[in-house]
Structure formats: C-alpha cells, structure tokens
Amino acid sequence: MIRAARAEDLDRIGAITDAAFRPYIARIGRPPAPMAADHRSDLSHLWVCEHDGDVVGHMGLIARDEPLIALQIEPIAVDPDVQGKGIGGRLIAFAEAQARSLGVERLTLYVNAAMIETRAIYAHLGFLETDRRVEDGFDRVFLEKSLPR
C-alpha cells in the first residue's frame, strides 16, 4: 500500500534513507544528498510504501513547473532488506498514476552519476537521460519519462 507520509513515519523514512544510500558514500566521496534531507520539511510531498504494516520505502513527488507539465521524483529509497522485490517499481507506478491524474506529461528525477546501478534501474523503467551537471558539488544525471496520454 502506498499512502501519504505522516509525522510518525519520519524516523523510519530517515532510517531507510540512511540504509539505502550509505553504500554510496565511498563511491561518491561523501554522503549522498538524500542523507542530508530535512524530511520534516519535505513531509507534505512524501509518500511511503507499506508492506505487512511496516514502511519499507518512500519517495517525494514535487510539482516543479507552472503550468504543471512534470512531477519530480525526489528521491526514492527502499529498505535494503526488501530491495529487488518490486517496491521501487510500485513507487514509480504510483508516481505515474499521480502524474496522469493531474494531466502531467512527464516524470523527472536526478541521480548521482556514481550510482550506476540506480541509473540502470531507471533506464529499465523507461527513463531517459536528458542532462548532466554538477549541482551543490554533486555530479548529477537528470532523467525523465514521458507519459502517454
């Protein structure tokens, strides 16, 4: 089940983020940006995925354009204990459904260039690279997925 995040989810969201992104610290040379996110201030656009009553993943969905033509996913994190079981795919499918319900044409996201495995997953899910640039000292790859009407 995917639902809007609540204040009581914040500790679990932080733990999942830490566990999911910690393996990339050595590769990136510092903690990935999501590990420093202020989830409390992001709460209004966070969604969680529950499995057997436990929060096992989360993502942010942010409207970035006016008029609204894209939803930005920021970020997706899945508990490493359940990675590979379709949780991330369910979150992406939910984001697509939310976008379609709003009449949005595409989903966008970015990922650190060093996160090769994550980029491959997004490519498998239909995301295409649109840009690369350094932001806030992070080498980022920007991706988008067009949504058929």
Side-chain angles (χ1 to χ4, degrees), residues 25-112:
I25 294 173
R27 196 181 297 177
I28 294 170
R30 65 181 179 152
M35 292 179 77
D38 178 3
H39 300 296
R40 183 165 304 282
S41 68
D42 296 338
L43 190 60
S44 66
H45 65 262
L46 288 176
W47 298 86
V48 297
C49 182
E50 289 184 333
H51 180 71
D52 291 335
D54 190 24
V55 172
V56 295
H58 67 85
M59 75 174 166
L61 280 179
I62 304 167
R64 290 282 188 209
D65 303 311
E66 187 60 43
L68 183 60
I69 58 170
L71 280 182
Q72 183 166 316
I73 297 170
E74 204 175 272
I76 289 180
V78 176
D79 185 325
D81 290 339
V82 296
Q83 286 178 0
K85 297 186 179 187
I87 303 297
R90 278 189 243 159
L91 287 164
I92 291 289
F94 179 82
E96 290 176 7
Q98 289 292 104
R100 284 188 182 99
S101 74
L102 295 170
V104 172
E105 300 171 2
R106 68 183 190 272
L107 292 173
T108 62
L109 58 86
Y110 60 85
V111 63
N112 192 289

